Amino acid sequence: MPEQQRERAQAQADGQGQGRPRAPWAAEAGVFLAVALVAAGACGALQPATGIPPEVVQLTQLGPAVAVAAVALLWPGRIRDRLAGTLPARERVGAAAERRAALLLTPVLITALCVGGGLLTSGSLPVTAPRAFTHPVPLVVAAQFLGACAEEIGWRCHLQPLLRTRFGPVTASALVGVVWGLWHVPVFAQEPAFAAGFLLATTAMSVVLGLALEGVRSNRLLLAGSFHTLINLGMLYVTDETAAATAPMLILGAASLAAALAWIATARRAPHATPDKIIVTTAPGAR
């Protein structure tokens, strides 16, 4: 009886009362992905008219945030639960705090591996001086962070918890990473090896983010956005991944995979943690 009451309450929260069945998770994911793709294309088409340089921020990054807004209009009850833990809140300090620190150090490790790989393969490192851009570094950093958060509220704060209700942490994270990579449509106009390296990088980095955020109940958006920003800044200033060169992108993919494997190995050694609020509140029934 309590289970039936919970089901009815959830249906009413989703705006699907009066005997109508709840929308399946696949429908929610499909709406999110469709809107994210269309909105990103529209924002990208508008960018030349705004005069905003792509190295400052790419307006396509707004696509996932727009998609979250669309899902919120259709399933307001579910989106509130899905985004639980996105913003700052009181939380006990423990293993999650250690994962937060490790998460923010991982982009530094990935960038360092890319630097080493670049030096080994080409003998040089194409560092971009900050003065090469017409905009000051603080503006670029702030804009990159806002763009990263616009993406991450969709990828890690909505889609990751949604898939996590059906799959394990590594599988859910990998699926988000594949979708995240495929969403960058222009990448696949490059050489196949370049696209493969990029897709490997997004999948591996998504696994890192998914495992790091598995037990975190607050500041998910800040953490994911900071990780994403550090990766983008490393690609912009330190390595050559933004120049559409194949070798650097393959190195980025390999470096990201090495980081992901280290996170997976660590997660396997860790004791089983209590499911976080997102998993509990969105899991259907008692499953």
Side-chain angles (χ1 to χ4, degrees):
M1 187 64 177
E3 183 62 36
Q4 294 175 348
Q5 291 175 349
R6 284 196 294 272
E7 291 290 335
R8 285 196 296 268
Q10 182 63 63
Q12 291 173 356
D14 290 344
Q16 297 183 15
Q18 301 179 355
R20 296 170 61 187
R22 289 191 305 172
W25 68 274
E28 185 179 338
V31 168
F32 169 79
L33 294 175
V35 175
L37 186 61
V38 172
C43 291
L46 289 174
Q47 177 136 10
T50 66
I52 300 175
E55 65 267 15
V56 174
V57 67
Q58 295 184 16
L59 296 185
T60 54
Q61 293 179 286
L62 297 175
V66 174
V68 170
V71 171
L73 291 175
L74 294 174
W75 299 287
R78 281 180 173 268
I79 201 68
R80 282 193 296 268
D81 289 337
R82 208 77 72 202
L83 297 180
T86 296
L87 300 177
R90 291 183 179 180
E91 183 180 4
R92 293 180 181 178
V93 177
E98 297 177 1
R99 285 201 302 276
R100 293 179 184 189
L103 174 64
L104 297 182
L105 288 174
T106 301
V108 179
L109 170 65
I110 292 174
T111 301
L113 290 175
C114 289
V115 169
L119 291 173
L120 287 174
T121 57
S122 65
S124 62
L125 185 64
V127 176
T128 302
R131 61 178 178 273
F133 301 118
T134 58
H135 296 81
V137 172
L139 175 61
V140 174
V141 172
Q144 288 281 342
F145 177 72
L146 291 176
C149 287
E151 279 196 53
E152 292 304 330
I153 197 171
W155 302 128
R156 248 58 63 176
C157 295
H158 173 262
L159 188 59
Q160 173 78 20
L162 174 59
L163 296 185
R164 186 64 181 86
T165 63
R166 290 295 185 275
F167 306 100
V170 175
T171 302
S173 302
L175 288 173
V176 173
V178 171
V179 173
W180 181 27
L182 294 175
W183 176 77
H184 291 78
V185 176
V187 168
F188 297 92
Q190 307 298 328
E191 294 182 4
F194 180 93
F198 181 84
L199 194 59
L200 175 60
T202 59
T203 304
M205 286 189 282
S206 185
V207 170
V208 170
L209 284 161
L211 292 177
L213 298 177
E214 178 69 16
V216 176
R217 297 183 175 91
S218 67
N219 282 313
R220 290 171 177 264
L221 180 59
L222 177 62
L223 290 167
S226 297
F227 178 98
H228 196 146
T229 301
L230 290 171
I231 288 292
N232 285 350
L233 290 175
M235 293 172 64
L236 185 64
Y237 287 113
V238 182
T239 64
D240 195 28
E241 279 78 25
T242 58
T246 299
M249 185 54 70
L250 290 174
I251 294 172
L252 175 63
S256 301
L257 178 60
L261 291 175
W263 273 89
I264 292 172
T266 301
R268 287 181 174 178
R269 292 195 300 268
H272 181 67
T274 301
D276 64 19
K277 184 179 178 182
I278 289 181
I279 298 169
V280 172
T281 56
T282 59
R287 287 181 293 173

